[in-house]
Amino acid sequence: MRAKYIEDMELWESDFQFYSEVSVRFSETDMYGHLNNTVTFAYFEYARIEYFKHIQLMNDWLNPKGEKIPVVADLQCDYVKQVFFDEKLRIYVKANSIGSSSVDIHYMAKNDKDEIVFTGRGSIVQIEKKTGRAAKWSEEEREVFQKSIN
């Protein structure tokens, strides 16, 4: 397996610290009994939100009076192994790099055998609710992401 965003697989894999667990539901499988390819993006979303909560960035975004929100700019998934109903997965999340108003997030899913079953990456952009334009990260937000990268 070689996704373009992974230069050194062992180093990339070792940098993940945070994960969320999911169980594959029957409704998430296709007629062949394996995980539908669209569901991985829902797993990424779930794990990403849990990650943002963990690093304490969701509070401002969830505030109804808040002025900024995160939006997905792009998202991709690379499938490595088939996943079936009732499997337990760990969806790992990490910030890979930070832009002025964006962050590149990487994902790795592992099964109970500790095998990588799919990987992914995506850009999240913080925008102003009123204008829809990019909103720069504050110094505090940048520091939070930077700590999670190092």
Side-chain angles (χ1 to χ4, degrees):
M1 194 225 40
R2 182 79 174 168
K4 291 181 182 178
Y5 48 88
I6 303 172
E7 290 182 30
D8 178 328
M9 181 55 115
E10 286 183 29
L11 179 61
W12 182 81
E13 183 179 351
S14 70
D15 282 343
F16 285 95
Q17 296 177 14
F18 178 86
Y19 67 88
S20 292
E21 294 180 337
V22 297
S23 293
V24 178
R25 299 179 302 177
F26 181 77
S27 63
E28 296 170 331
T29 61
D30 61 20
M31 62 190 251
Y32 302 107
H34 66 274
L35 183 67
N36 184 285
N37 64 314
T38 63
V39 175
T40 56
F41 296 101
Y43 290 171
F44 288 169
E45 176 188 46
Y46 171 72
R48 180 176 63 248
I49 289 170
E50 293 303 310
Y51 169 71
F52 286 153
K53 286 181 192 175
H54 176 74
I55 62 175
Q56 299 182 350
L57 282 182
M58 285 301 292
N59 295 340
D60 292 336
W61 292 331
L62 291 176
N63 180 350
K65 295 181 182 180
E67 298 177 6
K68 300 172 187 172
I69 57 171
V71 295
V72 174
D74 73 287
L75 194 56
Q76 72 184 81
C77 182
D78 294 282
Y79 304 94
V80 181
K81 292 185 177 288
Q82 291 188 66
V83 175
F84 295 91
F85 166 67
D86 211 29
E87 282 194 59
K88 310 291 186 254
L89 302 177
R90 292 181 314 280
I91 312 298
Y92 290 84
V93 182
K94 68 178 177 176
N96 187 65
S97 61
I98 310 163
S100 60
S101 61
S102 66
V103 60
D104 190 51
I105 303 287
H106 284 200
Y107 307 90
M108 175 179 64
K110 287 187 165 186
N111 61 18
D112 280 344
K113 297 176 187 171
D114 207 37
E115 300 168 321
I116 295 174
V117 292
F118 52 87
T119 66
R121 62 146 304 280
S123 296
I124 307 300
V125 178
Q126 179 172 246
I127 65 168
E128 298 282 343
K129 280 184 185 178
K130 291 179 183 173
T131 66
R133 294 189 182 176
K136 290 187 177 185
W137 301 118
S138 68
E139 271 308 307
E140 295 82 19
E141 291 165 331
R142 290 184 70 74
E143 286 177 21
V144 167
F145 281 127
Q146 199 59 50
K147 284 179 189 174
S148 67
I149 291 174
N150 296 333

